[in-house]
Amino acid sequence: MKTILLATLSAAALMAAQPLMAKTLVYCSEGSPENFAPSVNTTGTSFDANTQIYDTIVQFERGGTKVQPALAEKWDISPDGLTYTFHLRKNVKWQSNKSFKPTRDFNADDIIFMIERQWKENHPFFKVTSSNHSYFNDMGMPKLLKSVEKVDDYTVKFTLNQPEAPFLADLAMQYASVQSKEYADAMLKAGTPEKLDQDPIGTGPFYLVQYQKDAIIRYKANPDYWAGKAKIDDLIFAITPDASVRWAKLQKGECHVMPYPNPADLDAIRKDANVEILEQPGLNIGYLAYNTTKKPFDDVKVRHAVNKAINKQAIIDAVYLSSGVAAINPIPPTMWSYNETIKDDPYDPEAAKKELAEAGYPNGLEIDLWAMPVQRPYNPNAKRIAELMQADLAKVGVKAEIKSFEWGEYRKRLQAGEHQTGMFGWTGDNGDPDNFLHTLLGCDAAKNNGGNVAKFCYKPFDDLVVKAKTVTDQAEREKLYRQAQVIFKEQSPWFTIAHAVQLKPVRKEVKDFKLSPFGRHTFYGVDIGK
């Protein structure tokens, strides 16, 4: 009996010493995040890295655009649409790291900190990492917000200067990710405020273990996550800029999910028995922005002439293959208020030459043509597109010099308006037309190095999109946005290129990974197994 008992105890001890094998999911990310400062990030690459760590006040449901509770359990909206009162969750734990151990749970102070850091220029964290809070500014938040008040530790009241139809959805976006005020105060006191954004802690489903730029990000599941521990234990971002290398790693099982496959690889990917491609229309736009404040593109005739000089369909056939559709409007066809009556400028080199001559350039002209150095959801190969555009423009007497920079530098210079023309694009954040038409083309976004890289500030257009923000009736908003698209096409601040189909190769052992309409990659709720 004693021998049997000892044997039983030994087996139990052995099982205790050998915990169940941890579940690890590897995501082959296309690049490194800008940083871990949600208020200043502008790229999907950074959003992906940050969203694992942080939560927002409200969030979008997985795979959809409906707003649901997150750090706020519920909310009240006043009948006039000017006051939003959020009732916050209790017992939400902050993560910790080597620099900081929290002494309190998440509360209203953290919401106030998140907003004021972006809003108040005299705030001690306004300039930490960057003072360019472009989302907050581009959406006109400084003018919209009247006050943000702490009612008590678990109640926050937002008061607006005017109604804002997409306000709740705006608060589900990544710029509104909540950081710890207690951690911020401790790092400020220690003389290292930048640690808040370099060595982050959040309330999210995963916490950061290691980050090595251009190599790897390691996360572990947060055991105290308010919505329950993630199904996977370890999450790894294997930073792999080359799409062909990402595909090779996916084939070998070295990663489980990959973004942005090369269109030329799709046939091979579809034939792999261990991989499936998740697919849905992309809520995105790729475009060439004309700097409307610089010659010659301050002249609408030149903009239309260049539109007609470029063979859009040839670009889509050569670069997007089966993964893109020609873009006419600045919003995708799947978005409500899309104006299907608008016609594109036709490909017509002879008309382009004639219009250039009428604009004062009978002998052609020289311009720059900026091309992104990276693959993006809306543009699989900007360098190749630039070369095709360059060849088309040469046929009408326009000599285009292709320029590019490292991705961070490219965006910084483009937003500063150093270019004459520059390729850029957008993936929607909240499913509302405002997120394209005002955030990318409104006057607010043309200032302060914002997202309006065409520097397009045209009052008839701006009046429509600003008014549409304040109207609660969707039919009325739709009417305003359809009119705005007509003006956009008349003024042509962009050469609209394409809307890319969202394609996500995933290994079949991955369970319940959902495509986000916003092109994001979130791994809470995802499982892995044979």
Side-chain angles (χ1 to χ4, degrees), residues 285 300 303-304 307 312 327-330 338 341-346 441 456 461 482-497:
I285 173 79
V300 68
R303 302 197 292 264
H304 277 291
N307 283 357
K312 183 180 299 188
I328 298 171
N329 294 329
Y338 183 85
T341 67
I342 292 173
K343 304 299 181 189
D344 212 359
D345 277 321
L441 291 157
F456 176 67
F461 177 91
R482 287 174 68 89
Q483 291 172 10
Q485 289 165 73
V486 172
I487 294 175
F488 167 86
K489 209 63 188 179
E490 290 170 352
Q491 292 298 311
S492 285
W494 300 347
F495 173 79
T496 51
I497 304 172

Side-chain angles (χ1 to χ4, degrees), residues 134-282:
S134 60
Y135 266 90
F136 192 83
N137 293 327
D138 290 358
M139 294 190 298
M141 287 289 176
K143 290 188 293 186
L144 176 67
L145 294 176
K146 184 175 183 179
S147 64
V148 182
E149 302 167 90
K150 174 182 175 179
V151 178
D152 59 43
D153 278 352
Y154 294 98
T155 313
V156 177
K157 183 170 74 172
F158 286 69
T159 303
L160 312 183
N161 284 310
Q162 61 188 33
E164 175 83 355
F167 185 67
L168 204 58
D170 288 346
L171 288 181
M173 290 162 55
Q174 291 302 304
Y175 80 93
S177 297
V178 181
Q179 294 179 295
S180 165
K181 182 181 188 299
E182 187 188 18
Y183 181 32
D185 289 344
M187 293 303 98
L188 189 65
K189 186 176 179 181
T192 56
E194 68 282 352
K195 277 196 173 183
L196 180 71
D197 302 329
Q198 294 174 358
D199 192 7
I201 66 168
T203 60
F206 298 92
Y207 64 89
L208 182 69
V209 176
Q210 178 196 10
Y211 170 48
Q212 185 178 342
K213 185 175 167 59
D214 299 330
I216 196 167
I217 313 175
R218 293 182 183 275
Y219 306 88
K220 277 194 175 293
N222 178 2
D224 298 319
Y225 188 47
W226 57 266
K229 182 182 173 293
K231 294 175 183 177
I232 55 174
D233 301 291
D234 296 282
L235 173 62
I236 296 173
F237 279 31
I239 297 169
T240 313
D242 188 296
S244 296
V245 177
R246 290 199 294 274
W247 165 223
K249 286 184 175 182
L250 194 79
Q251 280 180 292
K252 295 173 188 174
E254 293 175 11
C255 66
H256 301 101
V257 180
M258 68 166 280
Y260 321 132
N262 274 333
D265 290 333
L266 288 174
D267 284 346
I269 296 173
R270 293 186 197 281
K271 291 173 184 174
D272 192 307
N274 298 312
V275 174
E276 63 176 324
I277 297 180
L278 305 182
E279 184 172 345
Q280 71 179 21

